[in-house]
Amino acid sequence: MIESPFSQPSENQPLPPLFGLIVSNATFQWFNEPARTLQNLSALIKPNRWMLFSTFGAKTLRELHHSMIMASEKNKIPYRRKGLAYADGDLWVDWSKKAGFNEITLEESLFRQHFAGVKDFLYSIRRTGESDASNGPLQYQRRTLLDMQSIYEKHFQDELGVYCTYHPLFVSVCKKFK
């Protein structure tokens, strides 16, 4: 039987450990309080059992953010990051330790995905919902967006097209009891 844990169980009603295995693929980056979520999930897993999850690391979409920073500076407007704030692997390890996990394995990699152009890339981001994951609306002037596109094409393009970096993290944690 497969059960689905909830990310923020009530603090007032402690539950006994329920799960022998928790597996999550590319969802942890969506949590508003990932450290707290890890603590809550730690309380739900049976002793000497595993939780495995993947998420994206801090180098994900770095070309987009670099291009937006440069375009914002060119147009003399403050840059405010839009979208998800990805944590690096060291932070996930730290959060896992604080959640009570004492056996932690982190694997990470970097890979490039290519697109025909910046517009295709931005449409891809929009389809994943990542561009909507921010605290409130964020609008840039048309000139800033056109400058970002130009900067992106100049600095982050090769013979296969424009590219973006993805930085997947694969984490396995366990609370080992003697």
Side-chain angles (χ1 to χ4, degrees):
M1 178 195 257
I2 297 175
E3 299 179 54
S4 176
F6 25 86
S7 65
Q8 304 289 341
S10 171
E11 292 180 29
N12 299 327
Q13 299 175 353
L15 298 171
L18 302 172
F19 302 103
L21 176 67
I22 297 175
V23 178
S24 174
N25 179 37
T27 55
F28 277 43
Q29 69 270 8
W30 294 96
F31 294 142
N32 292 326
E33 299 177 343
R36 182 173 174 205
T37 300
L38 282 172
Q39 290 176 343
N40 292 334
L41 291 171
S42 174
L44 293 175
I45 196 161
K46 293 178 181 177
N48 300 316
R49 302 301 164 93
W50 291 90
M51 180 168 63
L52 313 169
F53 66 93
S54 66
T55 188
F56 289 104
K59 296 175 185 166
T60 299
L61 305 179
R62 63 185 173 191
E63 298 85 359
L64 175 60
H65 298 293
H66 182 75
S67 297
M68 280 304 302
I69 289 168
M70 291 177 68
S72 296
E73 289 173 355
K74 180 177 180 182
N75 288 281
K76 296 178 177 42
I77 60 172
Y79 172 71
R80 191 176 105 215
R81 184 182 175 119
K82 179 171 173 58
L84 299 173
Y86 301 107
D88 68 14
D90 291 339
L91 194 51
W92 283 105
V93 169
D94 185 55
W95 288 337
S96 297
K97 287 178 183 175
K98 289 178 179 172
F101 294 105
N102 50 15
E103 188 166 327
I104 302 164
T105 303
L106 168 72
E107 294 182 29
E108 54 189 303
S109 62
L110 292 173
F111 72 90
R112 284 184 177 175
Q113 184 169 356
H114 285 84
F115 297 88
V118 174
K119 286 183 182 180
D120 294 318
F121 164 58
L122 294 175
Y123 286 133
S124 171
I125 296 299
R126 181 181 227 180
R127 285 190 300 267
T128 66
E130 200 275 346
S131 64
D132 296 325
S134 65
N135 297 328
L138 178 62
Q139 297 179 356
Y140 284 101
Q141 298 172 348
R142 179 172 166 75
R143 177 78 255 156
T144 303
L145 294 175
L146 290 172
D147 287 340
M148 181 279 298
Q149 183 175 346
S150 175
I151 291 165
Y152 203 109
E153 289 171 346
K154 179 180 179 183
H155 295 283
F156 305 110
Q157 184 167 234
D158 59 23
E159 65 279 353
L160 300 175
V162 298
Y163 57 85
C164 70
T165 298
Y166 285 95
H167 180 204
L169 306 176
F170 304 95
V171 185
S172 60
V173 296
C174 182
K175 281 197 317 189
K176 290 286 188 177
F177 294 96
K178 296 178 182 178

